[in-house]
Amino acid sequence: MWTNSERPQSPNSVSTNYTTRSLFPQAPTFTPDTFSKRDFNVKDFVESLSDSAVPPNRRSGQTSQTQAFDPRPLIRTLEQGLTRLSGLSEDLEARETELSAAVRRAENQHTANVDSLGKKLDHAIDDFRKLDRSLDDESDGYGPGGNTAVKIGARLEELDRQRLRAQDAKFLIQCWLEVSERGELFLLDDMRRQASGERKIRAAQIARQLLRISQRLDPSSWGEPNGTKIPNGINGVNGVNGVNGVNGHDASPEIKHNTREIVEKFRESLEKDLLKQFDEFYRRADFGGMRECADVLEDFSGGASVIAAFVNQHQFFIDRRQLITEEVGGDAETWELLADPDAEAPGIEPSLQSLVDEVKVVVQDESQIIRKAFSYYDVVLGRFLQRVFQQSIQQRLEMVLDKANRISNLAFLRSLQSSRTYISALIDDLKAHGLTEHPEPLSSQTALILDQQLDDLFVPYFVGSSYIEREKRNLEELYSSLSFKFTVYHSQRRKAPTTFLASLAKSGSEILSSAREAYVERLDSADLAPQQKAMLMRVAGLKNSDSARKQMETEVKDQDGILDIATARRMLKWLAEAVGRGLELSGGNETPKDVSALLDLVLAHMGTLYVEVSLDAANDAAASQDNTRNEPDISYLENLNAAITILHLMATCINTVLIPLGASNALVRRDMERNTSNAMGQMEDKVNSIMQRTIDVAISWVSKLLSGQKKTDYRPKDDSIGVGGTLLELNTPTCLLVTTFLQRVYNHAIIALSPQGSNLTAFLTELATNVRSQLLEHYKRFPVSPTGGIMVTKDISKYNDLFRSWSLDDSFGPSLEVLTEIGNIFVISPEALRERLRGGARGGGLGGMGDVWEKGDLRPYVLRREDASSVGVQSVLGAL
């Protein structure tokens, strides 16, 4: 047998830990609980049985290879396990049979109980039907019938109401007699001292009724000298003692006391006592007592006094009353970031953020108290919210915005945006919480109050066009600062008009000068805040120590007059920030008009005062190169690329951002599209004018270079054909000058115009066409010797190589063949020339020139051959 210490301890109650080993292994021990565990596993159970039958040396893996496996212990163990399982199975079957019998007995008992309860329910239903019929008729032995009982009950209720009214009238008359004859209200005082809230409410109601009686029966106490008196008991009106008096006495005795003053003092005393009691209940967190007092005080001016007491004594307003007068703090770096247009806005001002966060917690907590303490909690919560927003948040908001306004317009706008966003989030959180309706949704009345408070906070900043005007002032200041040196440079560049076209540009110069002067006066103005002035001068690249007018005259460089794409991107970035801010703050009502105003500002500053000024400068530079004696300087083309890129950025921004935002107003949208089209068209016309002037300048200079061609260049002397002679140079000096100049024009053109665009192709094609025309006319003027013909072909080949390196239109291809054929005319023999003309005639064209030229067009070139008077050439001329 196994000892207790040797009993198996596996998770399935089967152990393989042997301390001693007998000859015949003991059968494993397990119970039904072994199989009812959650972690029971058949595989583990069988393995535990197997492990108990394997010797320890085999389990450790040290069995000799020669020792045979003995299956008998394992077989015995499994047989014993099966025997034990069979016994357990029999026990379980017996138990199952016993439980099944118990279940059947319980089901039979349940069926009997259901039948019994069903009979009782049927009996109850029958009794109810009999009673119901008895209320409609007088049968079934239920007496006179239900209708009579109902009538008697209604009559009794009416009599009870009349009794109560009579008692109330009696008590009211007693109170009136007491106050009018003795000037006292002991009865109401006794009622007020009772602890019941209903009695206090009743006392307040009676006091109000006494005031009405006093107004009619004691008009003198209400300041009415002509009030109705009832002397001698005649025609008494509303007299307490009857119409005609009693025993000949007056219908209403003379009132000796000021009833109005007495009743009002009582009401004031009652109200003060109730307010004091309400405050005591509030401090003890006795919400039931608070509700009773609040219900009584509702009779006094609609509960305004108790609501005011509840709101004014709140610790939140007591603590914040001292903090609200503190100056707006914050570190200087944060305010500088707020005014920096290139920096991200730092967010809401910390003290305002702290206040809003505290308001969120206080309102959520206090709403639960209001719900418990007031039966008219919606009204109280509305007053509490109004006080929180109008006194705490509004005052702090005004202080924050006032300080931001003293720094810069951008700081004000960013503070306004961050404050509006954060307070709007507070409103959304309060609505989601539910406040007095928590966890149910907030009532529509309270939600309307919250929305109204939010609008009231910010409506002063959006009256009329005040907001968009401030946005425009901010952008105007930033744009003027950013382009200040550019504006000054071009203002100094402009001279007095000397030509008609220059006089037409005078208006643009005047606009530029006026903008410059206005900005300089703004910077040097004493009204400008120091922080804002420092920021604007930093954006303008000026020193804050000197005046803007002084720096305008001394610190402007040539580099300042060049367009900068990064500058344009900054302008558009500031514009995008303004548009996004406007969409968030304005609510979309005035969005079309606002974006239209911003569009006009962008077209004026980026278009007229920035891009167009640069284009005018390039146009003037191109015009100044028309009659120059030196090689024209066309470096102004390099600035054209920036102008075209900025135009593309402007058009993209306007067409994808501004114009779609104005789509809700068809009239505004049409105006925006028309203004954009006019401005863009005007700038594109100036770009085209610059390119056309550049072509004219280039053609003029090429013509001047060609005119310098020597007549001996194509009739070289024989002694120049040696080593070191000009013939070995292959090209004439004029050709080299022309191609070098044209290559320089090309280099400037690919910088100014995008290589992938069609503008570059059109420009180069027109330039090449004009140069080709000049070359064709050029070769009609020079006699060419046979040796000079080689020079002609070399020059033409040089020109063709240059043209082929350009991105020209496909239609220019035949023009290259024309030039090649012109060169061939001067080098081939008369017989070859005759054959070439014949072949061209049979093929419908001249030597590969196709339909470009006719035979007669070649005559001027053939005449320039040195051997033009020979018989062979004359025969060719005769054919032409």
Side-chain angles (χ1 to χ4, degrees), residues 733-744:
T734 301
C735 175
L736 294 176
L737 290 174
V738 171
T739 54
T740 301
F741 171 73
L742 291 177
Q743 184 62 37
R744 190 176 297 113

Side-chain angles (χ1 to χ4, degrees), residues 486 490 493-494 508 511-512 563 603-619 643 647 650 678-684 686 690:
F486 176 88
H490 286 281
R493 177 190 60 81
R494 290 180 178 271
I511 295 175
L512 202 64
L563 288 178
L603 292 177
H605 282 269
M606 287 190 66
T608 303
L609 298 179
Y610 194 59
V611 177
E612 284 195 34
V613 168
S614 178
L615 294 177
D616 289 340
N619 230 329
L647 280 178
M650 286 180 57
N678 293 338
M680 292 298 174
Q682 183 175 347
M683 287 183 279
E684 289 173 357
K686 290 187 177 183
I690 294 171

Side-chain angles (χ1 to χ4, degrees), residues 437-497:
E437 307 297 333
H438 181 76
E440 299 297 326
L442 189 66
S443 64
S444 59
Q445 178 182 357
T446 307
L448 185 62
I449 292 175
L450 288 173
D451 293 336
Q452 184 62 42
Q453 295 306 310
L454 179 63
D455 292 340
D456 292 343
L457 283 177
F458 294 96
V459 70
Y461 310 106
F462 298 96
V463 175
S465 60
S466 59
Y467 168 74
I468 193 61
E469 289 299 327
R470 187 180 287 270
E471 284 283 10
K472 288 173 61 178
R473 284 199 305 273
N474 171 56
L475 288 177
E476 286 174 353
E477 291 175 352
L478 294 177
Y479 286 175
S480 299
S481 297
L482 192 59
S483 60
F484 176 71
K485 289 188 176 181
F486 176 88
T487 304
V488 171
Y489 175 85
H490 286 281
S491 297
Q492 296 175 354
R493 177 190 60 81
R494 290 180 178 271
K495 306 295 182 180

Side-chain angles (χ1 to χ4, degrees), residues 476-492 512-524 536-543 546-557 560-562 567 570-571 574 605 609-610 613:
E476 286 174 353
E477 291 175 352
L478 294 177
Y479 286 175
S480 299
S481 297
L482 192 59
S483 60
F484 176 71
K485 289 188 176 181
F486 176 88
T487 304
V488 171
Y489 175 85
H490 286 281
S491 297
Q492 296 175 354
L512 202 64
S513 299
S514 62
R516 180 197 62 188
E517 291 297 327
Y519 180 71
V520 170
E521 291 178 2
R522 173 66 173 163
L523 282 182
D524 293 339
L536 292 178
M537 297 192 77
R538 184 188 66 79
V539 172
L542 303 177
K543 297 178 182 179
D546 299 332
S547 67
R549 188 175 299 279
K550 181 178 179 181
Q551 297 181 67
M552 176 183 70
E553 299 172 354
T554 60
E555 297 188 4
V556 180
K557 303 176 182 178
D560 297 327
I562 300 176
T567 298
R570 291 175 70 185
M571 289 182 175
W574 299 340
H605 282 269
L609 298 179
Y610 194 59
V613 168

Side-chain angles (χ1 to χ4, degrees), residues 48 110 112 176 193 315 434 474 588 641 659 672 692 836:
S48 65
H110 175 71
W176 170 250
R193 293 190 185 95
Q315 194 65 31
N474 171 56
N641 182 33
I659 292 181
M672 294 174 65
Q692 187 60 50
R836 179 178 290 272

Side-chain angles (χ1 to χ4, degrees), residues 231-247:
N232 301 324
I234 301 174
N235 296 329
V237 181
N238 293 331
V240 177
N241 293 324
V243 176
N244 294 318
V246 179
N247 297 325

Side-chain angles (χ1 to χ4, degrees), residues 1-9 15 17-21:
M1 294 295 293
W2 296 89
T3 64
N4 291 335
S5 62
E6 297 167 346
R7 188 171 301 278
Q9 299 298 324
S15 175
N17 299 324
Y18 290 85
T19 58
T20 62
R21 182 169 179 81

